[in-house]
Amino acid sequence: MHAFLKLSNAIDGLSRFVGRHVIWLILASVTISAVNAIIRKAFNYSSNAFLEVQWYLFASTFLLCSAFTLLNGEHVKIDVIYSHLHKRTQMWIDAFGFTCFLLPFTGAVVWFSFPFFLNGFNSGEVSSNAGGLIRWPVYAMMPLGFGLLFLQGLSELIKRIAFLMGLIDDPTEKTEGKTAEEELAEAIQKLAEEKAATANAA
């Protein structure tokens, strides 16, 4: 079981790495949207590429961060009854859900979406909109995003079983820390301060 826990820790580390870096795509999407609006108003020019890249980035963020969201227990769920149950009962319910629903579903999506991505990649499929983008990069987000979610579901299942065996503490207990939004805001502020310091030095 200790080998499985090491695997779980590695998967958790991967999900954190991806989640903390992919969140920058939100900033990129907002920036592109603002620049597109300014160009359209100021120069009466626009392109479908600007619009498509925005939803490419949004789709990528949504899919790639799903594993990070599961790691932090932030997926929407109805827990009116669940929250009042004994902790071990909750763990059994989670283990059942991961085994019978999450893992089979995400595995099936990866299985069926990967050929879809390959077809788009091999054909060089391009958006039918004028000035549109190639489609395979956003198609790749389906097997990649659900693959990461599958791995995180496996990690969560391992942790639930380890808890039931008395090997680890409650894996659902949250420790107080900075949110992803707070971390992003701090990173942006730090970047701005570094640029200001560089400009002053020059």
Side-chain angles (χ1 to χ4, degrees), residues 105-156:
F105 174 75
T106 52
V109 173
V110 172
W111 178 263
F112 288 109
S113 64
F114 190 71
F116 183 65
F117 151 69
L118 284 180
N119 183 57
F121 179 80
N122 292 327
S123 65
E125 181 182 348
V126 178
S127 170
S128 59
N129 298 317
L133 305 175
I134 54 174
R135 286 288 176 83
W136 68 261
V138 74
Y139 290 166
M141 294 303 104
M142 289 189 287
L144 187 56
F146 278 94
L148 290 171
L149 185 57
F150 177 90
L151 289 176
Q152 190 57 48
L154 179 62
S155 173
E156 296 302 317

Side-chain angles (χ1 to χ4, degrees), residues 17-18 23 36 55 61-62 64 66 70 77-78 80 85 98 101 104 113 116 118 123 126 129 135 139 155 171-172 202:
F17 177 83
V18 173
I23 194 172
N36 182 37
W55 67 262
T61 305
F62 177 82
L64 296 179
S66 59
L70 178 61
K77 59 183 178 181
I78 307 301
V80 176
L85 299 175
F98 290 134
F101 297 102
S113 64
F116 183 65
L118 284 180
S123 65
V126 178
N129 298 317
R135 286 288 176 83
Y139 290 166
S155 173
T172 63

Side-chain angles (χ1 to χ4, degrees), residues 26 33 36 47 51 87 103 120 129 148 150 173 179 187 194:
I26 293 292
S33 177
N36 182 37
S47 170
L51 299 176
K87 181 57 67 174
L103 294 179
N129 298 317
L148 290 171
F150 177 90
E173 185 176 348
T179 65
E194 290 175 354

Side-chain angles (χ1 to χ4, degrees), residues 47-67:
S47 170
N48 285 320
F50 289 127
L51 299 176
E52 290 187 4
V53 75
Q54 291 174 51
W55 67 262
Y56 275 30
L57 293 172
F58 179 78
S60 299
T61 305
F62 177 82
L63 289 167
L64 296 179
C65 284
S66 59

